[in-house]
Amino acid sequence: MKIPFVDLYAQYMSIKKEIDHAIETVLKETSFIGGKHVIDFEKNFAEFLNIKNVIACANGTDSLEILLKAHQISEGDEVIVPAISWISTSECLKSVGAVPVFVDIEENYFTINSELIESKITSKTKAIIPVHLYGHPCNMDNIMEIAKKHNLIVIEDCAQSHAALWNNKTVGTIGHSSSFSFYPGKNLGAYGDAGAMATNNSEIARICKMISNHGQEGKHNHQMEGRNSRLDGLQAAILNVKLNYLNEWTKKRQEIANHYNKMIRNPKILKPQIHSMASHVFHLYVIRTKERNSLIEYLKNNQIDSAIHYPTALPFLPCYKSLNNSITDFPIANQYQNEILSIPMFADMTIEQIEYVSDILNKF
Ligand SMILES: *Cc1c(COP(=O)(O)O)cnc(C)c1O
């Protein structure tokens, strides 16, 4: 049986009629940039999150950059970020001249180790960007307490965690603001690039909206120099359809993870854990093994796709060489980067597919 890592075509086929209709509508209306569908999506996603403001933009990386600017993070400021994430989390800092200060991840949940954050705070620290990595929420109680004590801004990176909960609160509504990506493979994905910012702070929301549309507040009223980072009508219309399925798809991902948890019994494979305060949305199902290279090869021979998220922890990437990050400062990230492996996980996985993958893993 051939098992893809994700199957976006199967998902499209399951909602084809609605998607095709949505696309046709946008074409008929020629509402390509901005317009009704974008406004609807901002409203719908704000309702979904239970937050005051959602501002759509072109992609998740832009949303991080725009939020940094809106929160007035600037040249020379230090921002605390986890040692394992997609590069956008630290890369965005370059746009305002801020510097990433990496913190090692938790042993059990792969997210930033909140116990280590305070030791990295200096007089230059302005913000923390917690990442709810793989769909597992960070310990937001600890992070918000530290932020309050040191007067820091918290921008949640929710690119992998749509609909995840920490302590019964939806992630993206706990920090001062939050960033979402709707890259096609994300739990809520468009059919191209798309992103959004969310916040209960209406002044931050107003500035984000201005920045993302050339600094305009109303047509030709340029209050500042901004940029072009808008969501297009086609993506918004697609997201409006898919948002209606997000809860159902999230439940399916959680069921698949449960199924994997029950089925996989191989002492060479460590399964992901869930914090008691967290509702994990399994953007990725990440296992650990000391024999990763041979496992990847073995899965490939059995026609099962797998992937590594991510093969090099952020502090050790060539682009951060000048920061002189030492391996001894990030023992967990350093170890886990060589052990983590993401196995197939998508809401449309069939029982047969889940059981085949588990069975093959057990025979490794
Ligand atoms: C995908 C992702 C982003 C960036 O999103 P894009 O829409 O691809 O720019 C940011 N942070 C994390 C953790 C991501 O996984």
Side-chain angles (χ1 to χ4, degrees):
M1 205 187 307
K2 188 164 169 35
I3 317 280
F5 187 68
V6 288
D7 191 345
L8 295 177
Y9 188 67
Q11 191 195 55
Y12 166 58
M13 289 313 281
S14 73
I15 51 171
K16 182 175 186 309
K17 246 178 138 168
E18 282 179 87
I19 292 282
D20 290 357
H21 176 72
I23 291 173
E24 222 172 276
T25 307
V26 176
L27 296 181
K28 253 187 226 155
E29 295 170 353
T30 66
S31 52
F32 297 124
I33 299 290
K36 177 179 175 294
H37 302 280
V38 173
I39 293 165
D40 283 352
F41 177 67
E42 290 179 335
K43 193 175 131 274
N44 294 339
F45 197 53
E47 259 168 42
F48 181 90
L49 294 175
N50 191 18
I51 201 161
K52 273 196 200 140
N53 311 280
V54 165
I55 306 97
C57 67
N59 59 70
T61 310
D62 279 6
S63 76
L64 285 168
E65 291 186 6
I66 294 165
L67 282 168
L68 288 168
K69 196 155 181 207
H71 282 291
Q72 298 180 309
I73 310 297
S74 59
E75 195 71 36
D77 289 347
E78 292 178 358
V79 176
I80 297 207
V81 294
I84 292 190
S85 184
W86 171 241
I87 188 163
S88 299
T89 308
S90 50
E91 182 187 40
C92 63
L93 300 172
K94 188 86 191 166
S95 68
V96 293
V99 185
V101 174
F102 298 103
V103 168
D104 205 3
I105 57 164
E106 293 199 12
E107 242 171 281
N108 292 330
Y109 313 115
F110 302 113
T111 48
I112 190 167
N113 186 339
S114 56
E115 308 287 327
L116 301 175
I117 291 177
E118 279 197 290
S119 67
K120 299 275 184 136
I121 293 175
T122 72
S123 58
K124 290 182 181 167
T125 310
K126 288 286 156 58
I128 308 172
I129 307 181
V131 181
H132 310 299
L133 195 71
Y134 310 150
H136 190 296
C138 300
N139 188 326
M140 289 306 292
D141 291 334
N142 286 357
I143 290 169
M144 293 315 290
E145 197 182 307
I146 294 164
K148 198 168 174 193
K149 185 169 154 198
H150 297 272
N151 199 19
L152 306 175
I153 299 291
V154 176
I155 301 172
E156 294 178 70
D157 183 338
C158 303
Q160 305 188 359
S161 59
H162 317 72
L165 309 175
W166 172 263
N167 201 0
N168 295 316
K169 278 192 219 125
T170 309
V171 301
T173 65
I174 306 168
H176 298 99
S177 59
S178 56
S179 161
F180 286 86
S181 165
F182 309 111
Y183 177 83
K186 302 284 157 95
N187 287 21
L188 177 62
Y191 289 168
D193 276 316
M197 300 147 277
T199 180
N200 276 315
N201 181 329
S202 296
E203 182 55 16
I204 293 294
R206 187 180 74 86
I207 298 167
C208 285
K209 195 163 178 71
M210 268 200 286
I211 296 172
S212 64
N213 194 16
H214 301 292
Q216 295 179 101
E217 192 154 53
K219 206 164 188 176
H220 302 307
N221 177 17
H222 300 273
Q223 293 285 339
M224 64 198 293
E225 286 180 313
R227 60 196 285 174
N228 175 358
S229 181
R230 300 175 297 219
L231 179 63
D232 70 68
L234 282 170
Q235 302 309 337
I238 288 161
L239 287 168
N240 278 325
V241 171
K242 291 178 86 176
L243 182 58
N244 293 323
Y245 293 91
L246 183 54
N247 281 333
E248 183 186 322
W249 290 338
T250 300
K251 225 173 120 222
K252 279 195 182 158
R253 284 177 183 274
Q254 291 167 333
E255 282 165 13
I256 294 163
N258 275 337
H259 213 97
Y260 269 150
N261 286 343
K262 277 194 208 117
M263 292 279 299
I264 301 169
R265 330 195 152 276
N266 182 336
K268 288 193 262 186
I269 292 167
L270 296 171
K271 294 176 279 189
Q273 296 179 49
I274 309 175
H275 191 286
S276 60
M277 307 259 272
S279 166
H280 189 336
V281 294
F282 288 97
H283 171 56
L284 297 168
Y285 187 94
V286 179
I287 58 172
R288 281 171 47 218
T289 175
K290 299 271 182 208
E291 300 171 40
R292 186 172 65 185
N293 285 346
S294 46
L295 180 58
I296 293 170
E297 204 48 39
Y298 165 82
L299 289 173
K300 206 158 136 199
N301 292 337
N302 285 285
Q303 295 192 294
I304 298 170
D305 287 344
S306 63
I308 303 170
H309 301 91
Y310 300 89
T312 307
L314 296 173
F316 313 134
L317 285 172
C319 60
Y320 294 121
K321 217 176 158 162
S322 64
L323 296 177
N324 290 318
N325 291 304
S326 132
I327 283 174
T328 52
D329 274 347
F330 309 97
I332 306 298
N334 185 49
Q335 180 194 337
Y336 285 14
Q337 66 182 352
N338 301 316
E339 299 179 355
I340 46 181
L341 187 68
S342 312
I343 63 171
M345 165 58 80
F346 49 95
D348 297 276
M349 265 186 110
T350 63
I351 297 282
E352 291 74 34
Q353 288 177 318
I354 303 162
E355 293 186 348
Y356 174 74
V357 174
S358 306
D359 195 45
I360 293 290
L361 282 172
N362 288 339
K363 288 181 187 145
F364 173 62

